[in-house]
Amino acid sequence: MAAAKRKQDEKYLKIIREMASLTHNRQCFDCGQRGPTYVNMTIGSYVCTACSGVLRGINPPQRVKSISMTSFSADDIEFLKCHGNEYCRKVWLGLYDARMAPELNSKDEHKVKDFMAQKYEKKRWYVAPTEEMKEEAKKMNEPQKPPETKPLRHLLGAGAPRLVVQPGQVKCFVNFSVTSDVNVI
């Protein structure tokens, strides 16, 4: 029984880490620091250690979980799949105009806390979420599959000249162009 629970926890941790590594989730939603280590389970954003502490102290308190030190349920995973930093940006900062506000410095805790109070307590820039926003977030939070890798001869075709590379010496140069994403092995 414990082994099954541990295996499930590892599976969920892998999913969360994959979602946290997606481009839009790589920075703390609240201060912009790289490499968030916590998840705000109240709104579904990825946050840093410093902001996780501030979030617990604002009104209403946010439910924050460590990515690597906490167990997640299937419901938690589904919730995070439908949210993420981009979704939260559209909801909690939907009316925010970055051109009108100074750049937020993650090292100035007082400014970050004030910004969070404006965002969560006063809902200053809040826009009610739509089902369309959730569907879009779900698509964005799906782990990206790596592009298929094909041998070079498959891309060049059977009639391509043979390319032989020896240390310090190239026997043949081949010029070609490919119109799609290519991984050469």
Side-chain angles (χ1 to χ4, degrees), residues 19 21 41 76 124 129:
M19 287 190 293
S21 71
M41 294 303 297
D76 291 340
R124 184 171 175 190

Side-chain angles (χ1 to χ4, degrees), residues 32-50:
Q33 181 178 327
R34 286 186 11 196
T37 53
Y38 285 79
V39 180
N40 180 341
M41 294 303 297
T42 304
I43 68 167
S45 65
Y46 295 82
V47 298
C48 69
T49 304

Side-chain angles (χ1 to χ4, degrees), residues 59 114 116-125:
N59 228 345
D114 183 54
M116 287 179 173
Q118 295 285 325
K119 187 173 12 176
Y120 301 119
E121 292 175 10
K122 297 178 182 172
K123 294 186 176 185
R124 184 171 175 190
W125 306 289

